[in-house]
Amino acid sequence: MADHTLVFIVLGLALAAFVWGRFRYDLVALSALLACVILGLVPGEEAFYGFGHPAVITVAAVLVLSRGFERSGVVDVIAEQVLKVGDRLFLQLVALTATVVVLSGFMNNVGALALLLPVAMRLAREHNTSPSLLLMPLAFGSLLGGLMTLIGTPPNIIISAYRGSVTGETFGMFSFFPVGAAVALAGLVFIVLLGWRLVPQRAGNASTEGMFDISHYLVEVRVDEEAKALGWTLRELQRELEETLPVLAVLRGEQRYAGHAFLGALKEGDVLLVEAGPEEMKLLEDKAGLRVGIDPQEETLEQDRAEAEEGGQLQRDASLPDTENTKSNGLDTEGLELVEAVVRNDSIMVNRTVTQLRLHNQYGMHLVAVARDGSRLRQRLRDIRFRPGDVLLLQGGESNLSESLATLGCLPLARRNFTLGQPRMLLVSLGIFALAIAAMLLDILPNAVALALAALVTLLVGVLPLRDGYQAIDGPVIILLGAMIPVGTALETSGGAALIANSLLELGGTWPTVSILILLFVTTMMLSDVINNAAAAVLMAPIAVSLANGFDASIDPFLMAVAISASCAFLTPIGHQSNTLVMGPGGYRFGDYWRMGLPLELVVMAVAIPMILLVWPL
């Protein structure tokens, strides 16, 4: 069997696995690489050369620098200004989308979105705006901003490095700016004037109370002298119930303990604040003997007070507790360290349950509730397998909450008060980055070396702790790039890229060159809607060069077309992490994205093709 046929088979299976989504894309990419090695398509001694490729080093360095910007307080200053825009939706859209466009031009676009996502949620809450109107424009803006510079998005870095391997000269830091800025500006104008009107409005998802409705499920249960649970630990209680029922707090006399930190045995008179529905309440009473409500003496006093206030008309039903009943005993949600967080694509939680994760034992956190597609899931918490974009309500200790979320791969949606930043390092962080850019522009150092050096200095001077630096590096993306680069090379060396290019040339032999350029643009854009944009760039780059050679044209406009189109995945929530991250908080459904995404892709193409031909002539 011909080598190019084997490459097509491997790539076909890999693409099918990417689209299926059952396995993480880094594992799929690594499997494709090893299959190519076994089949003799990639020499064994060159199998892992991709991990030392300049594109991989550059991506890793940019991720570290992006986290440095966050840590130093650069983005906090910007976010404070965004929050001052007022209650006009138009101004909110302009402020959020324009800010994320600018930020993602100089830092990882997912990082830029993660920094402004809590700001958008806060704006929605404070001004009673549906977050669905803000979050999709924010996600799409983060993709548009990455088009403007070399470091804005991985496809730009990949295309630049590939150009260097073909011509000996890479694209510069701002080589992408003329085309990228024009496309980003056109996209921004479309989004804030018309695009947001195409987004379905999902009401009631901007707050914890709106999404999870926890106030109606906070229940007080008392441990009396006949309770089966007397002497049990909370872990034993969970085991007996066969349910990960969140105990938010334990009240013992005048002392109050957070549920995740209470390790002792239950005593008579203890009051537990439990997040439970009617079925769970019955379970608590049947299996643990825990009685819902307050003790008889307190109940009598409470009833007397109620009758005095309401003329005997107020009646309380302890089996259907409400917020006031909960607060009457001093047990409310204040100080319980509750936080909303969204599950990232690369989270270790994906496809796993709370039991498999050992969330409480390993991370000191309780899972209180889960929302998906904007509404709370009603099934048992222990049975839920987490998906990217799920919104979780978690309880944990304030001291380690931020670190636990980062380790789990979750982004907090509440006000960003976990990472305080280091304002004194703000100028240092910006200065390091500026020197790296200058070294690149003046050709003092290669792009990868300049950015890697900047990342190293960022760690050495203390802008970013070393541990945070390692956490900033997105492992799955690095694996994906390192594995797919040799596979892309195999596509070229086996003759597969030339075969595809020749087929396209025969198909459009009488077409003008610009028609083939448009076809390449559309094909890459469609591919990036279903697989990672970096993988799309790796696969399409050799095809683009083969097409250019077939027309005896410059390779630059073809490579630039791949770079722009690979980063414009607007049709689905799976095309890019930014799209996935806003799906849960915005309450979007899979079919919502194309409503604004399809016209936006047409706007991008209408602006990009003429600008490419103007700046990079055939």
Side-chain angles (χ1 to χ4, degrees):
M1 191 176 293
D3 285 351
H4 60 77
T5 303
L6 294 174
V7 170
F8 290 152
I9 292 174
V10 171
L11 286 179
L13 293 174
L15 290 176
F18 281 134
V19 174
W20 184 25
R22 177 64 178 82
F23 303 103
R24 282 181 21 167
Y25 54 77
D26 50 338
L27 298 180
V28 173
L30 192 58
S31 299
L33 170 61
L34 296 178
C36 286
V37 173
I38 293 172
L39 294 172
L41 303 172
V42 174
E45 61 274 12
E46 299 177 8
F48 301 108
Y49 280 9
F51 292 95
H53 194 277
V56 176
I57 303 302
T58 302
V59 169
V62 169
L63 292 172
V64 173
L65 291 171
S66 297
R67 184 64 62 86
F69 290 153
E70 176 186 356
R71 182 84 178 187
S72 66
V74 171
V75 185
D76 290 326
V77 174
I78 300 172
E80 288 177 6
Q81 302 306 312
V82 173
L83 289 170
K84 298 177 181 179
V85 297
D87 57 359
R88 290 187 58 189
L89 180 59
F90 174 77
L91 294 179
Q92 294 174 10
L93 284 166
V94 171
L96 284 170
T97 311
T99 301
V100 81
V101 165
V102 173
L103 284 179
S104 41
F106 297 95
M107 62 186 296
N108 174 259
N109 42 24
V110 175
L113 173 69
L115 293 167
L116 288 176
L117 191 55
V119 178
M121 294 297 290
R122 181 176 170 185
L123 278 174
R125 290 170 180 172
E126 291 184 354
H127 301 291
N128 198 27
T129 303
S130 172
S132 64
L133 299 179
L134 298 176
L135 298 188
M136 192 178 294
L138 188 68
F140 288 178
S142 72
L143 302 187
L144 292 169
L147 302 175
M148 298 190 296
T149 66
L150 170 70
I151 63 174
T153 184
N156 288 3
I157 297 171
I158 293 166
I159 293 301
S160 174
Y162 188 79
R163 183 178 187 260
S165 67
V166 174
T167 67
E169 184 178 353
T170 61
F171 283 124
M173 176 67 180
F174 293 103
S175 297
F176 299 87
F177 188 80
V179 178
V183 171
L185 180 60
L188 174 63
V189 171
F190 169 79
I191 287 172
V192 300
L193 293 182
L194 177 62
W196 68 272
R197 302 176 189 274
L198 305 175
V199 178
Q201 183 171 342
R202 311 291 187 199
N205 297 330
S207 65
T208 306
E209 292 78 10
M211 184 178 292
F212 295 113
D213 198 21
I214 62 171
S215 62
H216 298 291
Y217 293 85
L218 288 179
V219 183
E220 290 180 19
V221 293
R222 174 172 294 277
V223 182
D224 58 30
E225 61 181 356
E226 297 179 354
K228 299 176 185 177
L230 188 64
W232 292 358
T233 64
L234 293 185
R235 183 182 299 181
E236 290 170 337
L237 175 64
Q238 303 278 13
R239 188 183 306 122
E240 182 66 25
L241 296 176
E242 299 181 350
E243 173 62 86
T244 53
L245 199 65
V247 179
L248 302 185
V250 177
L251 183 67
R252 176 173 291 171
E254 298 298 324
Q255 297 295 319
R256 177 177 177 166
Y257 306 91
H260 71 277
F262 185 82
L263 302 177
L266 296 175
K267 297 182 179 180
E268 181 182 352
D270 285 350
V271 175
L272 281 62
L273 180 63
V274 183
E275 200 277 337
E279 292 183 5
E280 289 82 5
M281 284 187 267
K282 188 175 186 303
L283 197 65
L284 283 168
E285 190 164 353
D286 292 345
K287 289 198 172 185
L290 298 177
R291 188 170 56 81
V292 177
I294 52 182
D295 71 22
Q297 186 175 13
E298 290 176 340
E299 191 170 10
T300 300
L301 294 173
E302 185 69 11
Q303 186 67 23
D304 289 342
R305 182 193 67 79
E307 291 177 354
E309 290 181 356
E310 303 293 336
Q313 298 303 312
L314 176 63
Q315 296 182 353
R316 293 189 179 273
D317 184 353
S319 67
L320 296 174
D322 55 25
T323 306
E324 294 300 321
N325 189 30
T326 299
K327 290 182 178 179
S328 67
N329 274 317
L331 280 174
D332 54 44
T333 56
E334 184 178 358
L336 289 181
E337 317 301 350
L338 290 172
V339 61
E340 295 168 71
V342 60
V343 178
R344 292 180 49 141
N345 300 58
D346 56 351
S347 170
I348 63 174
M349 303 182 75
V350 174
N351 290 324
R352 301 175 73 183
T353 66
V354 65
T355 305
Q356 292 171 333
L357 289 165
R358 302 179 65 200
L359 198 63
H360 180 235
N361 296 335
Q362 192 76 19
Y363 303 97
M365 302 178 73
H366 272 309
L367 178 67
V368 179
V370 180
R372 182 174 296 161
D373 299 334
S375 60
R376 175 177 169 167
L377 298 182
R378 301 297 179 183
Q379 67 192 94
R380 284 189 166 189
L381 293 177
R382 67 173 186 175
D383 295 333
I384 295 174
R385 288 190 176 274
F386 301 110
R387 299 179 186 173
D390 282 353
V391 180
L392 315 180
L393 187 62
L394 297 163
Q395 179 200 27
E398 185 176 9
S399 59
N400 65 347
L401 195 56
S402 179
E403 182 178 343
S404 296
L405 289 175
T407 303
L408 288 168
C410 295
L411 296 176
L413 294 177
R415 187 182 307 179
R416 292 180 59 245
N417 51 9
F418 305 120
T419 304
L420 301 179
Q422 304 173 13
R424 63 186 178 85
M425 287 293 188
L426 190 150
L427 293 179
V428 175
S429 178
L430 291 177
I432 293 171
F433 184 67
L435 289 175
I437 299 301
M440 294 164 61
L441 293 176
L442 298 174
D443 289 329
I444 297 174
L445 293 171
N447 296 338
V449 176
L451 292 169
L453 181 59
L456 176 62
V457 175
T458 295
L459 297 171
L460 288 177
V461 301
V463 171
L464 187 68
L466 184 60
R467 183 175 182 178
D468 287 358
Y470 277 111
Q471 288 182 342
I473 298 175
D474 192 345
V477 170
I478 300 301
I479 296 294
L480 171 75
L481 290 176
M484 288 303 295
I485 285 173
V487 175
T489 302
L491 177 63
E492 182 179 11
T493 57
S494 68
L499 182 62
I500 295 174
N502 290 334
S503 299
L504 291 175
L505 290 173
E506 291 178 6
L507 177 66
T510 58
W511 298 354
T513 307
V514 66
S515 299
I516 299 298
L517 189 66
I518 293 173
L519 180 60
L520 175 69
F521 196 99
V522 172
T523 302
T524 308
M525 190 179 284
M526 292 175 61
L527 188 62
S528 69
D529 279 317
V530 293
I531 71 171
N532 183 277
N533 59 359
V538 168
L539 295 177
M540 296 304 294
I543 296 173
V545 170
S546 296
L547 282 172
N549 292 335
F551 278 105
D552 197 22
S554 169
I555 67 171
D556 290 339
F558 287 84
L559 288 178
M560 194 59 63
V562 171
I564 298 295
S565 56
S567 295
C568 294
F570 302 125
L571 296 185
T572 69
I574 62 174
H576 195 277
Q577 284 195 46
S578 291
N579 295 352
T580 308
L581 287 175
V582 300
M583 189 175 184
Y588 303 122
R589 301 185 180 96
F590 193 97
D592 290 341
Y593 286 79
W594 70 268
R595 298 169 184 254
M596 181 168 70
L598 181 58
L600 180 55
E601 287 194 352
L602 295 176
V603 169
V604 166
M605 187 166 62
V607 175
I609 297 297
M611 285 299 301
I612 289 172
L613 296 175
L614 177 65
V615 179
W616 306 95
L618 293 169

